[in-house]
Amino acid sequence: MLVPGQARERVVIRYVGSREMADLLRREGPEAILRRLIASLRADFLRWPEFDLAPRLASHSAGGVIELMPIADAAFYSFKFVNGHPGNTRLGKQTVVAFGVLADVATGYPLLICEMSVLTALRTAATSALAACHLARPESRSMALIGTGAQAEFQALAFRLALGIDEIRLFDLDPAAMAKARTHLEGHGLKIVCAKSVDEAVAGADIVTTATADKTRATILTPDLVEPGQHLNAIGGDCPGKTELHPDIVARARTIVEYEPQSRIEGESQQMSPDYPVTELWRVLRGDAPGRVGRDEITLFDSVGFALEDLSALRILREIAGPGPGLDLIPEPDNPKDLFGLVFSKGHAFERAA
């Protein structure tokens, strides 16, 4: 408790909004941020047992889903609010928007509130690339990218950075979306090919990334399209009732997931029987389980996104952003037991601050 007349330093929560996030990306460059994210994610997955893990909390509606994604370790707690509404584009709105909170476990006080629409795209791409380093063939240089919405460019840049991918084959049912992705990726050291079909994009590709948004059991890839040795990076099937791959493909593949209890109900693995074998990514990174075991093996990263990735990204973003704008979010009474007096007492703290 403060003595009378003693000034209290106000608690201001660091805030990174969409404009500052854009400024940070332009200043640092996406590759530099992706590089830091990949390193941070690797380190955090390697200490997986230190985290308090739980599947995300989802509220489903006819048009989409709204989710909360919490996680904590001994130092930090974080959660992310994120939606998925595929019909939003018809309204001129984004399919996915998000924001996140990073808090201090010792006090429970928030440290950072951050936009996470862009940050989620970055961390998803970084996680995909991290997994592919252990699942794709080392000489992989080409990637088919099926679905060229908000995730596409981030995925392409992350795979170029982490694996040396130099050819991206784009396909989307929306020609404008495909042209958008091509324009953005030009000048990044990539050969860009706009395919006329999924078949054309996938044929001979070392890696196939599916990043579609429809909330339905879609079959973007069929078994006849998948070739021996390909690595499949399936990131679109991220809620119950939403898939991208024919189940026979999943049955043939060595499947790696982020968090099994979540992937069983949300990922491509939701199509399979409960005893279908999956391996969590952290075990592969630690060497407790194999990733790719043969040149002709089909590997699948069944990625739905997990809260550990958000905590890792929020912590790195806080370091990159440094001091800056904040939010006056937490009331700070001189007497921490007297919240009422903070507001209503004569000469209360809000008056003194003014």
Side-chain angles (χ1 to χ4, degrees):
M1 185 185 305
L2 296 181
V3 299
Q6 182 179 355
R8 174 186 291 276
E9 182 180 351
R10 295 176 66 197
V11 175
V12 179
I13 314 307
R14 181 68 167 93
Y15 171 66
V16 177
S18 58
R19 290 183 181 179
E20 185 176 0
M21 179 65 75
D23 289 342
L24 287 171
L25 265 173
R26 286 191 290 265
R27 185 188 78 200
E28 302 288 331
E31 291 87 354
I33 293 178
L34 283 165
R35 184 177 292 108
R36 291 188 64 172
L37 282 173
I38 291 170
S40 179
L41 286 163
R42 181 186 296 276
D44 283 341
F45 272 107
L46 288 173
R47 60 186 188 92
W48 180 270
E50 299 177 23
F51 288 92
D52 182 9
L53 308 172
R56 55 184 158 217
L57 305 174
S59 178
H60 294 273
S61 63
V65 62
I66 297 174
E67 300 170 332
L68 289 178
M69 301 174 61
I71 195 168
D73 62 9
F76 297 106
Y77 170 93
S78 75
F79 76 82
K80 182 172 72 177
F81 168 100
V82 61
N83 79 303
H85 286 69
N88 274 3
T89 54
R90 294 191 294 271
L91 306 174
K93 298 179 181 293
Q94 296 178 81
T95 299
V96 176
V97 295
F99 72 88
V101 174
L102 184 70
D104 174 34
V105 165
T107 64
Y109 272 45
L111 302 170
L112 170 70
I113 296 179
C114 178
E115 90 78 41
M116 289 198 73
S117 302
V118 173
L119 191 57
T120 293
L122 285 161
R123 70 81 154 138
T124 301
T127 306
S128 294
L130 173 62
C133 287
H134 296 263
L135 299 175
R137 291 178 296 197
E139 69 275 16
S140 295
R141 293 296 178 268
S142 62
M143 180 166 78
L145 188 47
I146 312 302
T148 56
Q151 291 276 346
E153 295 88 346
F154 298 97
Q155 289 281 325
L157 294 179
F159 275 79
R160 179 182 181 276
L161 174 69
L163 286 90
I165 294 299
D166 56 21
E167 179 180 289
I168 299 292
R169 305 171 181 183
L170 305 174
F171 178 75
D172 197 292
L173 293 174
D174 179 1
M178 192 157 52
K180 175 270 303 181
R182 177 172 192 160
T183 297
H184 290 325
L185 290 172
E186 288 174 348
H188 286 277
L190 292 163
K191 177 184 177 183
I192 309 299
V193 177
C194 289
K196 296 181 177 63
S197 65
V198 172
D199 308 38
E200 182 181 316
V202 169
D206 297 309
I207 298 169
V208 179
T209 290
T210 54
T212 61
D214 286 343
K215 190 181 179 184
T216 184
R217 286 189 178 272
T219 307
I220 306 302
L221 289 184
T222 52
D224 57 299
L225 298 180
V226 178
E227 301 174 6
Q230 284 182 327
H231 170 57
L232 311 179
N233 176 45
I235 66 173
D238 56 359
C239 73
K242 183 181 178 187
T243 60
E244 297 180 305
L245 309 184
H246 190 286
D248 288 351
I249 297 174
V250 185
R252 290 168 56 194
R254 177 183 294 276
T255 299
I256 308 300
V257 300
E258 289 138 315
Y259 181 49
E260 183 175 350
Q262 186 168 292
S263 296
R264 290 284 185 188
I265 61 174
E266 294 188 351
E268 299 300 325
S269 303
Q270 70 184 276
Q271 305 178 76
M272 313 306 289
S273 65
D275 60 351
Y276 170 73
V278 300
T279 302
E280 291 181 332
L281 177 60
W282 71 277
R283 295 188 179 278
V284 174
L285 297 180
R286 286 173 53 145
D288 298 338
R292 173 173 292 275
V293 297
R295 177 175 176 79
D296 291 336
E297 182 179 43
I298 296 168
T299 54
L300 166 63
F301 183 42
D302 182 11
S303 175
V304 299
F306 186 58
L308 177 147
E309 298 153 26
D310 300 320
L311 186 150
S312 193
L314 284 165
R315 199 181 63 245
I316 289 299
L317 191 279
R318 183 170 176 245
E319 294 175 5
I320 294 172
L327 293 176
D328 181 15
L329 187 67
I330 305 297
E332 284 273 276
D334 292 345
N335 178 352
K337 297 182 179 181
D338 187 11
L339 190 60
F340 189 89
L342 173 74
V343 179
F344 293 104
S345 295
K346 183 177 181 181
H348 58 69
F350 290 159
E351 282 185 345
R352 293 199 299 272

